[in-house]
Amino acid sequence: MRSTLAVSVALAAATLWPGTASAHQNMTDLTGKATATLGATPFADATYGPGVVSGKAKLEQKDGQLTVQAEVQGLKPGTSHVGHLHFGNCTSLIPGEVVYHLTAVKIGQDGQGHSVTVIPDATRANLTAVQDCDLWVAFHEGPTNTNPPSPAAAVGPVLIKQA
């Protein structure tokens, strides 16, 4: 698993959208499970306060079906935020490279939001074929997909768990 510093650097880089490639860490013994720690973007820090927005996502693949469970905290109560599973690398997610749309996270009055997405045929996001940071989870400002996309509020790289 990557060090906390490496993940922090990747999160910071994601908010700048540089789109540059980098080498992946070797992760060959996979279980079909992965996680993402979601950090606030500069947009979220400016809108909701520094360090207020955070979250996590758990990805699990079984029998070709991918389930993405996400939790996000710190966004305005009563709002919905569209989410995506993006392609990326260890430097950043790749803007516009959406692999799958995720169910919008709905923020309750307690500031906590949850989203569960089941993708029946997840061949593009096969956890046995991807490496750390190949996929990123992002939740954006607003309840619907827009073109261009609304600013991301919480993002993080997917890290594959070793067996």
Side-chain angles (χ1 to χ4, degrees):
M1 187 85 55
R2 302 190 176 282
S3 71
T4 303
L5 177 60
V7 172
S8 297
V9 169
L11 284 172
T15 61
L16 302 175
W17 316 118
T20 59
S22 73
H24 296 288
Q25 292 290 326
N26 225 355
M27 299 288 278
T28 56
D29 190 10
L30 306 177
T31 65
K33 294 183 181 181
T35 60
T37 300
L38 309 180
T41 64
F43 166 82
D45 284 344
T47 304
Y48 299 100
V52 171
V53 176
S54 65
K56 60 184 173 182
K58 177 180 149 188
L59 294 79
E60 186 168 5
Q61 191 159 28
K62 185 175 180 182
D63 300 327
Q65 178 174 293
L66 180 66
T67 302
V68 181
Q69 298 179 46
E71 298 177 6
V72 179
Q73 301 84 35
L75 299 171
K76 183 178 176 185
T79 60
S80 292
H81 299 266
V82 68
H84 303 114
L85 192 58
H86 288 262
F87 282 125
N89 57 54
C90 288
T91 303
S92 70
L93 66 83
I94 301 172
E97 292 288 334
V98 174
V99 182
Y100 292 105
H101 295 279
L102 301 176
T103 303
V105 68
K106 297 180 192 296
I107 308 298
Q109 293 307 311
D110 62 356
Q112 304 287 317
H114 304 279
S115 167
V116 177
T117 305
V118 177
I119 303 164
D121 183 21
T123 56
R124 294 181 69 202
N126 184 344
L127 296 182
T128 62
V130 301
Q131 297 178 359
D132 279 351
C133 310
D134 280 349
L135 299 172
W136 286 64
V137 175
F139 284 93
H140 297 262
E141 187 67 9
T144 59
N145 289 305
T146 59
N147 190 11
S150 58
V155 299
V158 174
L159 301 177
I160 307 301
K161 292 183 178 181
Q162 289 183 316

